Structures are given as C-alpha cells and as structure tokens.
Amino acid sequence: MPPVPSDLTELAAEAYVYGYPLVFDLSMVQTALHEGFGSLPSASFNEFAHSSRLATPDARFVSVNNDTVYSIAQLDLSGGPLLLHVPDTLGAYYVLQFIDAWSNNFAYVGRRATGTGETKWLIVPPGWAGETPEGLTGVIDAPTTVVSIAGRFACEGPADLPRVHGLQQRLTLKVLEEFMHHTWLPAPDPDVPEPLHFFEKLRVWMAAFPPSADDCAYQDRFQPLQLLEEGPSPYLHHAAPELVHALTEGLKRGAARVEKASRTGVDGARAPGAWEMNPHLFDYNLDWFGVGTHDSPEWRIADRTASYLTRAVAARVGLWGNHGYEAVYAHTFEDADGHWLNGSRKYTLRFDSPPPVLSFWSVTMYDSPDYYLVANPEDRYSIGDRTPGLVYGDDGSLTLHIQKDRPTDPAEAANWLPAPEGDFRPMLRLYTPEQTVLDGSYEIPRITAKREPGTA
C-alpha cells in the first residue's frame, strides 16, 4: 500500500483517479434510467431498454459502437435476485456483459462464453443465500447491488433488424419473488457547491456500493478528504477553505492525469502515430470472476494501485468496454508523422490483410474530446468487413480513405470513412480477436496523411 500523501491536493487527485469510474458509471446509469441514449430509450431498473437501430450521433455515449444493436438494463438487486432469460440466437454473435458499479466486468453470457443456445440465469446480490430455482443454466453473483447489463447483438444492417428485434423481445428479466424492490440510486446532496459535486457523489456512492476488501483498505487513505464521512455532507458551504481548495485543485490535477494517460497510454510510451491497442485495458477487475471471465494471472493487472489509473482511462475512453478476449479496442489521435488527426487533412489506412479476428472488425469515427459518433451526410459512422461494396486491391489489401468530404473516385468513395471538421479519434474494434492480437504481435498499420499535389 503506497504512503498517504501529506499534500491534500495530491490526495484529492488520487481520489479522483480512484473514484472516476464509479462516478462516471453511475452517472451513465442515471442517464439510462431517465433519458436514454439516442434510439435506446430510458427504462426503469430491472427492465431492458432495446435500441431500435444501430447507434447514430444522437446516442451521446462515449465511444458507442455502430456494429451491434444494444439492449441495456440497469439492475437494482437490493430487493433480491432477478431471473434472466436469453433466447437462442441460432449461431449469431451476441454478448451480454455484466458490469458492477465500479465498472468491473464480472460476467459474460454470449457466443464466446456460453454459446448461442437458449439459457436461463439467476442474478443474485452480494451475500445472497436463498434457494436456487430448478431448471437454471447457472447463477451470476453480482459484486454490487446496482449492476449494468450491456447487451450487443451483431447486426448486418437495416435488413437484419427484424431478426435482432425478435431476439430483443425474447430477452427478459423478472424478479424471483413478487415483492417490492428498491429502484433508486442514493442521491448526493444537491446543495453542495458545484466544484465539489464530484466528491459528494463519490462519498455517497462509495458508501452505498462498497468495493472489495482490498479496495476498501485503499479507500481509508481518503479520510482526510472527509470522503468516508456518513450522514450530512461535509462539503456544504461551511466546509473548511483549505479542504475546498484541495478538492477543487485536486480534481483538476486528477482529471488532467486521466486525460493525458488516455491520449498517450498509461505508460506514456506510445510511438508517434501508433495505435493504443491494449488487450488488457479492462484487466483492472482483480476480485470478481464469474461466468465467462478468465480468472488467471494473464488477465489481472499485477499492481493494484496502478490498476486504478488503468480503470479510469478505460472508463474515459470506452466505458462498458469488454475484456480483450471478448473484444479489443484500439484508438489513435495521430497520423504516422505524429500530427494530430484533423478534418482539414485527408488520410489513408491500408490493411495488407484483414485484421485477425474470429468474428468481425470495424473502424468507427469519433470526435474529440467527447468521443461521440460524427454526424455526416452519408450516415456512415463506421466501416469494416461487413460493409457492403468495399473495394479490395488485387493483392487482397484494403485501403480506407478517411476525410471530411466524399472522395470523387468511386473506389475511394466505397472505402470512405467520413471525418469531422476538427480533431478526431478513430477506433478499431476486433470482435473475438485471434491470439496474435492478444499477445501483442499484431501491429495495426498507421494512418497516413495524403500528400497534396505539388507537395514533397
């Protein structure tokens, strides 16, 4: 356990990095409950919300994918277990990813993990010791009483939507016993001044959703910040000025730390133009290994304290992303010359051979710094091996053209990924990647800026 910094501002920065995933995760849970995300409507606790189409820019969710149709559920298990029924997808790819309040992926149901046949599961809260009904496929133990299920059904395009919608309607949740469930998130004090809202949420939600014993021990270091105080908020207008200053400046310092690591990699050693492809970005779950997870040293970050920054980066760039063995996400901000990617220039991305996957792959365009999908006249937000009409080279290579305006050449237009006017960040997704991706031997080609006529 590292020593507690004597500087309160530095301690507050550490608390921000540690708590950012919890606060961001539960903030998105609130959005899912009350607003929804684009075509994904809002839904109450313990009900699925089904998207009616592939994601578009109105989703307003960080790094949302455009490959699958979402079915999302927020669970409140404080009243007892839930029964989950999953239909037979007849071999088609899907995954139900289970995420606790701290953004830990603790279970998977889907083609890779459990096959594509019909299954029935009991999802139980921490410490539950009741009787298990007969006829279940298995039990899924939740680490926290609030859990998110991020369901993704592969969709080949608009013509494939009726099949996906049929699966969604047969994906159901119901309470094990008919009695009143709690369906709420604990509310932080709304009278806390705005600069301290983050820490008030962290204080309330840390108490409501305790992490593992080892993480609880680490949290003890935040006592000087009054993050462990119960009852009325210590951050109201009578809070000590030195504490307010430390929290305010610490938040800025911690946020800058997460942002820098998001762009340069946690180790800060990425070469110019290289993609940040970390199959182990979501390996910060060190304590909860349920159905479909890999409980082995290969999929655990060895240093628990270091894992907190990795966890914050994962939440920042791809909240609710999967472990690498389910899907790998790679992103970049630069071209091969080390210049920021920007819609004022034109680029190519050339694959000598298709990325090595067992399912499928895609490149999706996001703006920066929000990481939202980019609106464009073509309504094309991603491009990949399932995109109709792609033009391959005679040698089997594939060159993607990344730029703001539609190319005039028909072959280039077929392989066009629209970019925004300003800075952007593309993401390569590899669904069920092959071993060369997981062991790091596969290298993604770098994005190259097109040379304008007459330039060297």
Side-chain angles (χ1 to χ4, degrees):
M1 189 72 64
V4 178
S6 58
D7 177 8
L8 275 185
T9 299
E10 177 57 27
L11 186 62
E14 290 186 5
Y16 178 90
V17 172
Y18 173 80
Y20 175 80
L22 174 69
V23 173
F24 191 31
D25 180 279
L26 292 180
S27 296
M28 290 299 100
V29 168
Q30 288 182 317
T31 300
L33 294 171
H34 303 296
E35 301 174 29
F37 305 101
S39 70
L40 190 77
S42 63
S44 300
F45 269 120
N46 305 332
E47 296 179 3
F48 272 105
H50 300 298
S51 183
S52 59
R53 51 183 165 83
L54 293 168
T56 54
D58 62 355
R60 312 303 283 176
F61 189 92
V62 59
S63 300
V64 65
N65 86 55
N66 184 244
D67 302 309
T68 64
V69 178
Y70 282 92
S71 290
I72 304 290
Q74 310 304 329
L75 312 185
D76 184 347
L77 301 169
S78 58
L82 295 172
L83 288 164
L84 169 68
H85 171 260
V86 184
D88 188 343
T89 68
L90 301 177
Y93 179 88
Y94 83 98
V95 61
L96 300 179
Q97 170 195 0
F98 294 77
I99 311 123
D100 74 6
W102 290 86
S103 78
N104 292 306
N105 299 328
F106 66 90
Y108 294 92
V109 170
R111 189 170 76 175
R112 175 199 60 83
T114 58
T116 61
E118 180 183 15
T119 54
K120 297 178 182 179
W121 305 88
L122 186 68
I123 309 168
V124 304
W128 184 77
E131 293 187 8
T132 302
E134 296 182 358
L136 294 176
T137 306
V139 175
I140 296 173
D141 293 289
T144 54
T145 54
V146 165
V147 165
S148 299
I149 301 179
R152 302 170 176 89
F153 292 93
C155 181
E156 300 296 328
D160 194 30
L161 283 171
R163 177 191 66 84
V164 174
H165 291 162
L167 294 172
Q168 290 175 315
Q169 294 309 309
R170 299 195 300 277
L171 179 68
T172 61
L173 284 165
K174 72 176 200 175
V175 298
L176 179 61
E177 298 180 4
E178 295 295 336
F179 57 88
M180 182 64 70
H181 273 235
H182 301 154
T183 52
W184 50 273
L185 281 177
D189 192 320
D191 294 328
V192 168
E194 192 281 329
L196 305 184
H197 280 178
F198 173 89
F199 291 104
E200 171 65 1
K201 291 177 180 178
L202 180 56
R203 181 187 74 88
V204 171
W205 290 341
M206 276 200 316
F209 307 107
S212 67
D214 286 337
D215 282 359
C216 281
Y218 181 85
Q219 286 178 181
D220 288 343
R221 67 199 289 105
F222 303 134
Q223 181 65 59
L225 303 173
Q226 299 189 25
L227 278 169
L228 306 184
E229 296 293 322
E230 298 181 358
S233 175
Y235 305 134
L236 295 171
H237 296 282
H238 58 268
E242 59 272 21
L243 176 61
V244 172
H245 179 268
L247 292 172
T248 302
E249 294 304 310
L251 185 147
K252 296 176 184 176
R253 187 183 298 181
R257 196 168 293 168
V258 173
E259 193 66 25
K260 179 180 179 181
S262 298
R263 289 178 173 268
T264 63
V266 173
D267 59 7
R270 187 165 69 243
W275 293 72
E276 173 68 14
M277 183 178 69
N278 183 0
H280 300 285
L281 182 62
F282 293 89
D283 289 4
Y284 50 79
N285 172 18
L286 305 177
D287 304 292
W288 318 109
F289 296 92
V291 175
T293 62
H294 290 183
D295 182 7
S296 63
E298 178 188 0
W299 297 102
R300 293 171 179 258
I301 295 175
D303 185 334
R304 180 176 291 269
T305 302
S307 76
Y308 300 139
L309 178 59
T310 301
R311 182 176 66 179
V313 169
R316 174 70 182 97
V317 303
L319 183 69
W320 300 351
N322 295 280
H323 276 98
Y325 43 79
E326 185 69 44
V328 165
Y329 314 89
H331 66 266
T332 185
F333 295 91
E334 299 174 341
D335 65 19
D337 297 319
H339 299 135
W340 287 108
L341 296 171
N342 188 278
S344 64
R345 306 188 71 180
K346 301 177 180 179
Y347 306 90
T348 59
L349 173 59
R350 185 181 189 276
F351 294 97
D352 291 333
S353 58
V357 294
L358 300 176
S359 293
F360 53 95
W361 65 268
S362 70
V363 180
T364 307
M365 177 60 67
Y366 300 98
D367 65 12
S368 181
D370 295 320
Y371 310 150
Y372 294 152
L373 293 176
V374 174
N376 63 84
E378 298 291 317
D379 289 332
R380 175 179 278 187
Y381 312 108
S382 64
I383 191 168
D385 57 359
R386 299 171 304 148
T387 302
L390 289 180
V391 177
Y392 291 81
D394 293 339
D395 59 356
S397 64
L398 176 66
T399 300
L400 305 183
H401 296 267
I402 304 172
Q403 58 191 64
K404 181 171 68 70
D405 298 319
R406 180 184 178 89
T408 55
D409 179 87
E412 293 185 4
N415 296 359
W416 174 42
L417 180 60
E421 292 186 357
D423 292 344
F424 61 85
R425 181 203 67 160
M427 177 177 282
L428 173 65
R429 284 183 169 85
L430 307 168
Y431 291 87
T432 323
E434 294 186 3
Q435 184 59 34
T436 54
V437 174
L438 299 181
D439 65 21
S441 58
Y442 173 69
E443 183 175 352
I444 305 169
R446 300 183 188 187
I447 294 174
T448 304
K450 292 184 179 180
R451 305 300 181 189
E452 298 298 330
T455 62

